[in-house]
Amino acid sequence: MIDIPAQLLGLARRQAGLVSSAQCDVHGVTNGRRRRLVAAGRWQRPTRGVFDTDLPDSGLHPYDLSRLRSAWLALLAYPGSAAVGACALALLGAAGLPRDITPEAAFPNGSGREPRDGILLRQYRWFPRVAVDDHFAAEPAHALAQALPLLDREHGVAVMDSLQNKRILTQSGVRRAQRLTESRRHRTRSRTWWGQSNGRSQSPVETAARLRLVDAGIGPDDLQRDLFDATGQFLGRADLAWYLGNGRWLLVELDSDEFHTSPDQVRPDAVRQNGLLRDGRHVLLRFFARHVHEGSTMVDTVRSVLDREGWAPGRPIPPRDRRR
């Protein structure tokens, strides 16, 4: 049995299960011990100088783990580099990225290497960096500018929404990223996306739903709308809302069923939705991620309610209530 130092295991958990040869040396796991761990099937070697301990943070969702693994693989494979593009965004905590992203990093001086084992070393000119543990990533505006031209619209807008919602980027930071994209290839693909982003969206599925509804001509009047009863008591907050007139709203709640995997996770949503229905004035619809992504079920359902209620786009809506 080959013992692994606890400090190295802790490092592996923070790095999506990966460690470098240099990190192993620091913690006394010599080259010979590493070879024995690989031969025994306990470790894998995804690329030269990097080992997969298969001991990532157990609290990570599999999709998040996959993205972070790509980012750490590139960083550890090229010591002294910084994560860039989608990998930098993953390390910075942005949601909305594709499930699988390409491992990519860059050296600040723009020097290049041949790609190996699916890892890309970009030759970006100077870009500001931020620290991630003992490593570096492109700062948020540059990371967004690097990633956006290579994303599709849904993921691109979802990432912009997330960066603003989590306050990783301010509105001025988003404008700076927009200016930076003007010097990049494929920039024309993303030019119309900037005006479609809204930092009130709290999840990628909300972004996807909003984009589909906007494309259908029935975009919501408000996002994350707080509702109160006649006495001023808070009823709840709706993800998407359309004003039907006379104090009535069509409210849409969106649940990402890929994350809601237990009754304990679903229960708070059910309680919140009960509150929204309590005073009997509003219409509430609930959709899961699969309803958003599969066909026109969500759009058709929302449209049927809006048509029945006589909703029209552009109707003035009551100001947002600030009582909470």
Side-chain angles (χ1 to χ4, degrees):
M1 183 70 175
I2 303 173
D3 292 328
I4 309 300
Q7 286 184 320
L8 184 62
L9 293 179
L11 189 62
R13 291 188 178 96
R14 296 194 301 273
Q15 296 177 170
L18 303 179
V19 291
S20 69
S21 296
Q23 290 171 334
C24 290
D25 289 338
V26 167
H27 293 283
V29 179
T30 63
N31 187 42
R33 292 176 70 186
R34 297 194 293 267
R35 284 200 302 267
R36 292 196 296 274
L37 285 163
V38 171
R42 291 179 59 190
W43 284 13
Q44 304 293 323
R45 195 176 75 161
T47 192
R48 186 173 66 252
V50 181
F51 297 89
D52 186 351
T53 68
D54 196 29
L55 291 170
D57 182 349
S58 59
L60 288 173
H61 187 277
Y63 296 170
D64 293 327
L65 177 60
S66 174
R67 300 178 191 110
L68 290 172
R69 189 181 187 280
S70 291
W72 282 110
L73 180 61
L75 279 176
L76 297 176
Y78 294 103
S81 67
V84 295
C87 285
L89 293 173
L91 289 173
L92 294 169
L97 292 164
R99 183 183 311 182
D100 299 307
I101 59 176
T102 299
E104 56 179 342
F107 286 108
N109 62 6
S111 63
R113 305 280 196 285
E114 286 296 320
R116 58 182 168 92
D117 300 316
I119 306 167
L120 297 181
L121 193 66
R122 303 289 189 184
Q123 290 182 275
Y124 294 134
R125 294 183 179 179
W126 180 89
F127 54 91
R129 304 173 300 162
V130 295
V132 179
D133 288 337
D134 293 329
H135 297 267
F136 292 94
E139 65 86 26
H142 278 75
L144 177 59
Q146 293 160 354
L148 197 63
L150 304 178
L151 298 174
D152 59 35
R153 175 192 176 216
E154 183 176 310
H155 289 106
V157 177
V159 167
M160 286 192 281
D161 287 356
S162 175
L163 289 169
Q164 294 176 85
N165 184 266
K166 294 184 175 185
R167 294 180 172 82
I168 299 171
L169 266 184
T170 62
Q171 289 187 350
S172 63
V174 172
R175 290 193 293 271
R176 184 156 51 91
Q178 185 176 8
R179 291 192 296 270
L180 289 168
T181 60
E182 291 303 313
S183 64
R184 301 195 179 278
R185 291 186 302 168
H186 313 301
R187 58 189 177 274
T188 56
R189 294 178 59 248
S190 60
R191 276 180 176 163
T192 62
W193 302 352
W194 301 95
Q196 299 171 15
S197 175
N198 191 314
R200 289 182 185 164
S201 283
Q202 294 187 340
S203 71
V205 71
E206 290 181 34
T207 300
R210 188 181 78 245
L211 292 177
R212 282 162 173 73
L213 292 161
V214 167
D215 288 347
I218 52 173
D221 292 326
D222 204 359
L223 310 180
Q224 299 301 321
R225 183 82 186 193
D226 287 345
L227 279 300
F228 300 82
D229 66 15
T231 69
Q233 184 176 357
F234 178 68
L235 298 173
R237 176 177 294 171
D239 295 328
L240 309 178
W242 292 256
Y243 188 54
L244 304 177
N246 298 318
R248 300 177 62 245
W249 292 83
L250 166 62
L251 310 171
V252 166
E253 282 285 280
L254 294 155
D255 294 320
S256 182
D257 49 1
E258 60 193 277
F259 293 102
H260 287 173
T261 56
S262 72
D264 288 341
Q265 290 171 300
V266 174
R267 191 175 296 115
D269 288 338
V271 172
R272 183 177 70 248
Q273 290 154 8
N274 288 340
L276 292 171
L277 290 173
R278 195 166 62 222
D279 70 352
R281 289 182 298 164
H282 309 302
V283 180
L284 177 66
L285 300 174
R286 182 183 181 188
F287 299 104
F288 286 91
R290 61 181 179 274
H291 300 133
V292 175
H293 295 292
E294 292 175 3
S296 59
T297 300
M298 178 199 65
V299 171
D300 291 345
T301 303
V302 170
R303 189 192 301 279
S304 68
V305 174
L306 295 176
D307 288 346
R308 184 190 72 201
E309 298 290 341
W311 174 86
R315 172 187 290 171
I317 67 172
R320 292 173 68 87
D321 200 312
R322 302 297 183 184
R323 279 177 280 188
R324 291 189 79 228

